[in-house]
Amino acid sequence: MRTRALLLAPLAFLFLSGCPARLAPKPADALHRAADVLALTEARSKAIQSVSAEARVSIYGEQGARKAKMIIVARRPNALHFQALAPTDQMLGILATDGDSFTSFESGGKACYVGSACPENVSRLLPIIDMDGADIVELLVGGVPIFSYERVELAWDGERGGYRLDFTADSSPKVSQQVWVAHGTGDVLGSRAVVDGVERFVLGFEDFQAHGETRIPHTLSAKIRNGKVDLRIVYRDVEVNGSVSDQTFKIPCPAALTEERLWCAGESQTPEPVPDGANDE
């Protein structure tokens, strides 16, 4: 009986611990230089000039869970349009920026906010992270903003089934960032960035689908603010590289709302001088 127990012990251990995950082997034609992998993923990203989609957005944070349907339009280099909708498709809130200025207002609100397209303004409706418009566009088309770095190294990550680019900078700010890239397609699978010892974000991209000659992830997940905010975006009815009017990104304030300017950090709040004679009757 004791002998039987000893023989069964290793089997019991396997059932309890679970079988080890199978690692993806490195392809025979794998790239060997970080520069080549970067060129591959940049070519995939730059082939996408715009994306328009209906999306399901879920945000989990310290203030609880929020879910909404949203119309998202992003166009390079830094134009954005976010429109939150009720289940009945009634507009709840809107934010638009052409890269220079921004406008934002809510249904039933009293104010329409305007100002420059700085990170704190363009992230008001969709709190991804304090990014500028160009970085948010990059994210929405399935790319990753890369912090300034001094060195980049390349490795094959069998667990993720793709390349891992390790970016580092020892000067200020001190940066450690990893970006995972799929072999062959150049799809960005995910990224993690730590800046000056603070985790800025953990990103994941899934459900890649072809749109013409391009591919785009239909699911984006992001953990930001040291994991305190969990964001998930699922695209539906996607159009890639379609024609988008400039007016999509430059929306005037409704006449019924009071226009209120939001100042950016470091921006002068001194009113511009009125030219001589401008008030003469």
Side-chain angles (χ1 to χ4, degrees), residues 59-229:
I59 303 174
Y60 303 90
E62 295 177 320
Q63 297 180 348
R66 290 179 291 164
K67 298 182 180 181
K69 182 164 66 172
M70 187 173 287
I71 301 299
I72 296 177
V73 185
R75 187 180 71 183
R76 291 190 186 277
N78 50 12
L80 295 161
H81 177 109
F82 300 125
Q83 187 173 164
L85 303 175
T88 58
D89 286 341
Q90 177 186 359
M91 191 275 290
L92 297 178
I94 193 167
L95 182 148
T97 173
D98 60 359
D100 294 321
S101 61
F102 101 106
T103 304
S104 179
F105 55 88
E106 296 180 1
S107 176
K110 297 181 179 180
C112 175
Y113 300 101
V114 299
S116 301
C118 53
E120 54 264 42
N121 283 343
V122 300
S123 62
R124 282 177 56 85
L125 194 60
L126 186 63
I128 296 177
I129 197 172
D130 290 335
M131 293 180 177
D132 61 23
D135 285 344
I136 294 179
V137 170
E138 187 69 38
L139 201 64
L140 293 173
V141 302
V144 171
I146 297 177
F147 292 90
S148 298
Y149 62 93
E150 297 167 358
R151 299 179 304 281
V152 56
E153 297 180 355
L154 176 66
W156 177 259
D157 190 327
E159 291 185 2
R160 297 293 294 265
Y163 302 104
R164 188 186 72 241
L165 293 164
D166 292 295
F167 300 90
T168 56
D170 298 324
S171 56
S172 181
K174 189 173 183 179
V175 173
S176 173
Q177 182 175 5
Q178 293 79 44
V179 177
W180 288 268
V181 179
H183 172 70
T185 63
D187 295 334
V188 176
L189 304 175
S191 179
R192 178 177 184 267
V194 176
V195 180
D196 284 338
V198 178
E199 184 178 87
R200 294 295 299 273
F201 56 67
V202 177
L203 305 175
F205 300 96
E206 303 174 77
D207 190 19
F208 288 86
Q209 297 184 28
H211 294 269
E213 297 182 355
T214 65
R215 285 165 52 88
I216 191 169
H218 280 219
T219 300
L220 159 67
S221 59
K223 293 183 182 296
I224 58 179
R225 299 175 188 170
N226 285 327
K228 294 181 180 180
V229 177

Side-chain angles (χ1 to χ4, degrees), residues 1 12 14 21 37 39 52 55 71 99-100 105 109 117 158 162 177 183 189 218 237-239 244 275:
M1 183 66 70
L14 288 176
V37 176
S52 305
I71 301 299
D100 294 321
F105 55 88
Q177 182 175 5
H183 172 70
L189 304 175
H218 280 219
D237 299 327
V238 180
E239 182 180 14
V244 184

